[in-house]
Amino acid sequence: MARIPLLALVLSLQCWVIASLFHPLDPLNPAEINHIRHIVLNSHLATLPNLTFHFVDIDEPEKKDVLKWLSSNKNNEPFPRRAKVVVRAGGETRELVVDLTGPGSITSDHVYRGHGYPPFTFQELYQASQLAKKDPRFKNSLLRRGLNLSEVSCIPLTVGWFGEDVTYRALKIASYYRGGTINIYARPIGGISILIDVETMKIIEYIDRFKVPLPPAKGSDYQSTNQNLSSFPCNQTDRGFTIEGHKVRWGNWNFHVGFNARAGVIISTASVFDAVHKKFRRVLYRGHVSETFVPYMDPTNEWYFRTFMDMGEYGFGRSADSLEPLADCPGNAVFMDGYMAGADGRPQRVDRAICIFERYTGDVAWRHMEVGVPGRTIRRVEPEVNLVVRMVATVGNYDYVLDWEFQQSGSIKVGVGLTGVLAMKATSYTNTDQTKQDLFGTFLANNIVAVNHDHFLTYYLDLDVDGTDNSFIKAKLGTKRTTSIGIKSPRKSYWTVVKEMAKTEADGRIRLGSKPLELLVVNTNKMTKTGNYVGYRLITGQPVYSLLSDDDYPQIRAAYTKYQVWVTAYSKSQRWAAGFYADKSRGDDGLAVWSSRNRSIANKDVVVWYTVGFHHIPYQEDYPAMPTLHGGFQLRPANFFERNPLLQ
């Protein structure tokens, strides 16, 4: 059993005490992670076999306690720190709550007996990837194909759930050939299916169904001919923001930046300064990606199971890549490292996991030219300068660029960029003229097909618009005839707005489509001087939702993707749209289940869930590497200020 030297422990605790004075939502630092490991390994759990750490994060504190601490103006007082820890030991999943005060202790130890499993550790993924290479059946399959084992990469994939009564932790292996290229995904080895029991780390099923030509290496390399980073244009705006620990202050914004292994970047306690009222006003308590759902549209044996939930099965934070200065982020960026616990409980660092930078967009924040004043031409214009918080998660073949962009107008733009390399399969065909059946994708080059798929990124948005108790309003635009209101006019029609306040969670479930609609979160307890409820608008992106049938097993697990917008009553334990245990989940936990309780959401603490969706039909321009595809949404003030905050 591992032991931490006394001196090291004392130093760690000193570091923790200093850090604990900062902010209740600060992520766990390395000293705290080591402290948690020490507590667990010196408890009764140390005697259990195969003890591994799968999730270690702060135990979400009570919201009212955090808000009270932040408003007390006594931020030099420590806030109690606890950690939520999920371990696997002896074939069981155990949920722990660890008190970090003083020497620390485990205050709760619960065996989870529901459906689903915690995220895989990197160690498990690596071990599974190496297992196939030692198997004589796999070596024989490669020999029959004339392939060199030393040039083969094995990628572990989660397997989903397809109605099995009894499940176990499992991975399937997809194999690729690197010979002649660094783009391993461009040279898939077709026909081989390998199933691994993760608990025993043994191959329990091996199938070699067919041989198919290996796609050629020529033309598959994605190394750019223009990657001299020193030549990349720098953003020349001055660094107009300050960072104290994880607290960021810029312009009229004040917010907190966190990080964990599952969500990656987390924005918390965002408040905007109101010059009229001369105070900061609350906007967003917590915001982060809650879950992704990436189903591939190929029902064949080697592909049907590829219905990934990247956050719950792997983790966006665990997949965070180190950002490249002057390429991922401009020259005026400030970087933050990210920390998480590894399978052995020790802290792991992601260098430059997050960058924060001020960006001159080249856009106009506001503008007007006036010639109506006699003898004068009045021209007023203000350039737009925003603050960006960025993280990139590389999950297998895809890179997700995640941006939170704060604007001095009071808006928050949330951007998602999809790039990386397509998931491809080998085929005997070299041209579309030869095909006689559905290939479930697009021909990109000789013997290579990129499979159709979806990306759904569901955001958790705990809005606190000028206070905790909020309401959700659907502002519907409809056509009216002028004759209906008794006005004589050459006009025959106009449109008007009918506002409906959602009373229950069923009213807050929305599938966006052809009907014009504006969505608002308002505080009915606060009004502007003219009598409007203060609020924020959710300006949505493309109205994309899942096209899978309701009885399809992947859709049962991700039922929430049938609607782009959900509004639920706040619960600190309900943050992950597919449920906390996403691997092999069955759809009996998560957003759709919580919403079915139909709780009241009128003048309550509510959470908005919005899904950024992409139906991705691949095109040849996406090969060998994909230009970034953009999506996102915006949170924009709606009668929140008395007037344009840019002019205050």
Side-chain angles (χ1 to χ4, degrees), residues 33-269:
I33 295 172
N34 270 324
H35 190 31
I36 292 164
R37 179 177 182 271
H38 176 79
I39 293 168
V40 173
L41 293 184
N42 283 276
S43 73
H44 63 284
L45 298 173
T47 62
L48 299 176
N50 302 321
L51 177 64
T52 52
F53 293 76
H54 290 258
F55 181 83
V56 179
D57 191 24
I58 62 167
D59 184 42
E60 189 74 9
E62 294 294 336
K63 187 176 183 178
K64 60 180 176 59
D65 294 336
V66 174
L67 295 175
K68 181 180 179 181
W69 187 89
L70 292 174
S71 64
S72 67
N73 295 319
K74 297 179 181 178
N75 291 1
N76 59 338
E77 294 184 358
F79 190 90
R81 294 279 275 179
R82 300 192 308 175
K84 177 178 179 178
V85 180
V86 177
V87 299
R88 291 277 300 172
E92 293 181 320
T93 299
R94 306 181 80 99
E95 300 173 331
L96 315 176
V97 175
V98 178
D99 185 356
L100 298 178
T101 305
S105 62
I106 296 174
T107 60
S108 175
D109 178 4
H110 168 71
V111 176
Y112 173 73
R113 302 193 184 280
H115 297 136
Y117 300 100
F120 290 97
T121 67
F122 177 80
Q123 182 181 20
E124 290 170 332
L125 297 172
Y126 177 77
Q127 289 176 343
S129 72
Q130 299 303 304
L131 196 60
K133 296 181 181 181
K134 303 173 185 177
D135 192 280
R137 293 167 293 180
F138 186 60
K139 292 178 181 179
N140 288 335
S141 293
L142 296 179
L143 187 63
R144 289 196 301 271
R145 290 166 170 82
L147 301 179
N148 184 352
L149 178 62
S150 65
E151 294 281 2
V152 173
S153 292
C154 292
I155 307 299
L157 305 173
T158 55
V159 301
W161 173 73
F162 292 89
E164 311 95 311
D165 288 332
V166 179
T167 63
Y168 51 91
R169 300 179 69 230
L171 292 165
K172 284 193 174 184
I173 296 297
S175 53
Y176 301 87
Y177 200 64
R178 298 189 304 274
T181 182
I182 61 171
N183 188 355
I184 62 170
Y185 294 99
R187 307 198 75 192
I189 303 171
I192 302 174
S193 179
I194 304 170
L195 181 64
I196 293 175
D197 183 326
V198 174
E199 291 297 317
T200 62
M201 205 51 73
K202 293 181 179 180
I203 294 175
I204 57 175
E205 181 180 270
Y206 187 93
I207 301 173
D208 189 349
R209 289 203 310 143
F210 59 86
K211 287 197 300 182
V212 65
L214 188 72
K218 184 179 179 181
S220 65
D221 201 334
Y222 53 76
Q223 291 189 95
S224 172
T225 58
N226 182 26
Q227 283 197 319
N228 179 11
L229 298 185
S230 63
S231 67
F232 275 67
C234 278
N235 194 322
Q236 295 300 324
T237 59
D238 293 332
R239 190 175 294 165
F241 59 94
T242 60
I243 300 177
E244 183 184 3
H246 291 269
K247 295 185 291 186
V248 179
R249 176 73 181 270
W250 171 80
N252 52 350
W253 281 102
N254 216 340
F255 58 91
H256 180 274
V257 178
F259 179 90
N260 73 16
R262 185 161 185 158
V265 64
I266 302 171
I267 302 297
S268 302
T269 58

Side-chain angles (χ1 to χ4, degrees), residues 495-506:
W495 61 259
T496 189
V497 181
V498 177
K499 295 183 178 180
E500 296 180 1
M501 185 175 296
K503 296 180 180 179
T504 65
E505 290 172 316

Side-chain angles (χ1 to χ4, degrees), residues 352-402:
R352 305 185 307 278
I354 297 169
C355 73
I356 303 173
F357 60 92
E358 202 170 37
R359 175 163 66 189
Y360 174 71
T361 66
D363 294 329
V364 174
W366 73 272
R367 187 188 198 285
H368 183 61
M369 190 275 290
E370 181 61 67
V371 295
V373 179
R376 298 180 63 189
T377 298
I378 300 172
R379 184 177 293 108
R380 298 289 186 269
V381 59
E382 184 175 330
E384 185 171 278
V385 181
N386 300 332
L387 188 74
V388 178
V389 180
R390 172 171 295 168
M391 190 196 87
V392 175
T394 301
V395 188
N397 55 301
Y398 261 101
D399 294 62
Y400 294 88
V401 183
L402 308 174

Side-chain angles (χ1 to χ4, degrees), residues 387-566:
L387 188 74
V388 178
V389 180
R390 172 171 295 168
M391 190 196 87
V392 175
T394 301
V395 188
N397 55 301
Y398 261 101
D399 294 62
Y400 294 88
V401 183
L402 308 174
D403 282 358
W404 290 81
E405 187 167 353
F406 293 83
Q407 301 178 307
Q408 296 192 57
S409 62
S411 294
I412 304 173
K413 290 174 66 176
V414 179
V416 175
L418 303 182
T419 182
V421 177
L422 295 170
M424 295 170 270
K425 65 178 183 178
T427 177
S428 59
Y429 304 120
T430 59
N431 191 280
T432 56
D433 294 340
Q434 302 167 356
T435 61
K436 297 180 181 179
Q437 58 187 2
D438 193 344
L439 294 177
F440 313 110
T442 302
F443 262 116
L444 298 181
N446 287 349
N447 306 118
I448 195 77
V449 170
V451 178
N452 299 330
H453 58 283
D454 292 327
H455 295 269
F456 297 104
L457 290 88
T458 300
Y459 277 80
Y460 172 93
L461 303 166
D462 181 8
L463 287 158
D464 278 1
V465 178
D466 217 15
T468 301
D469 293 336
N470 287 173
S471 299
F472 181 66
I473 287 180
K474 296 175 280 188
K476 299 181 178 180
L477 281 65
T479 304
K480 294 196 78 171
R481 303 287 292 182
T482 54
T483 53
S484 67
I485 56 173
I487 293 179
K488 292 182 179 181
S489 171
R491 289 278 298 276
K492 304 265 185 205
S493 64
Y494 67 104
W495 61 259
T496 189
V497 181
V498 177
K499 295 183 178 180
E500 296 180 1
M501 185 175 296
K503 296 180 180 179
T504 65
E505 290 172 316
D507 301 326
R509 188 166 56 239
I510 298 171
R511 179 181 293 174
L512 302 170
S514 59
K515 294 182 179 180
L517 181 69
E518 292 204 351
L519 307 175
L520 304 100
V521 175
V522 302
N523 188 329
T524 57
N525 307 298
K526 305 282 182 67
M527 291 185 179
T528 63
K529 292 178 180 178
T530 55
N532 293 310
Y533 293 141
V534 301
Y536 260 73
R537 291 168 58 195
L538 170 63
I539 301 177
T540 61
Q542 292 292 321
V544 178
Y545 61 90
S546 177
L547 300 178
L548 299 179
S549 62
D550 290 346
D551 63 345
D552 198 355
Y553 289 110
Q555 188 58 53
I556 292 171
R557 298 176 66 212
Y560 58 90
T561 57
K562 283 292 183 179
Y563 298 87
Q564 298 96 336
V565 179
W566 302 70

Side-chain angles (χ1 to χ4, degrees), residues 55 84 86 95 112 114-119 262 288-293 309-314 458 460 556-561 573-595 597 609:
F55 181 83
K84 177 178 179 178
V86 177
E95 300 173 331
Y112 173 73
H115 297 136
Y117 300 100
R262 185 161 185 158
H288 57 80
V289 185
S290 172
E291 188 56 90
T292 66
F293 179 47
M309 291 179 168
D310 294 330
M311 312 221 21
E313 294 171 340
Y314 302 104
T458 300
Y460 172 93
I556 292 171
R557 298 176 66 212
Y560 58 90
T561 57
S573 64
Q574 296 175 359
R575 287 177 59 190
W576 313 107
F580 183 83
Y581 296 98
D583 179 51
K584 291 257 183 163
S585 61
R586 302 188 183 188
D588 55 359
D589 189 21
L591 177 53
V593 174
W594 306 331
S595 177
R597 298 168 187 166
W609 310 73

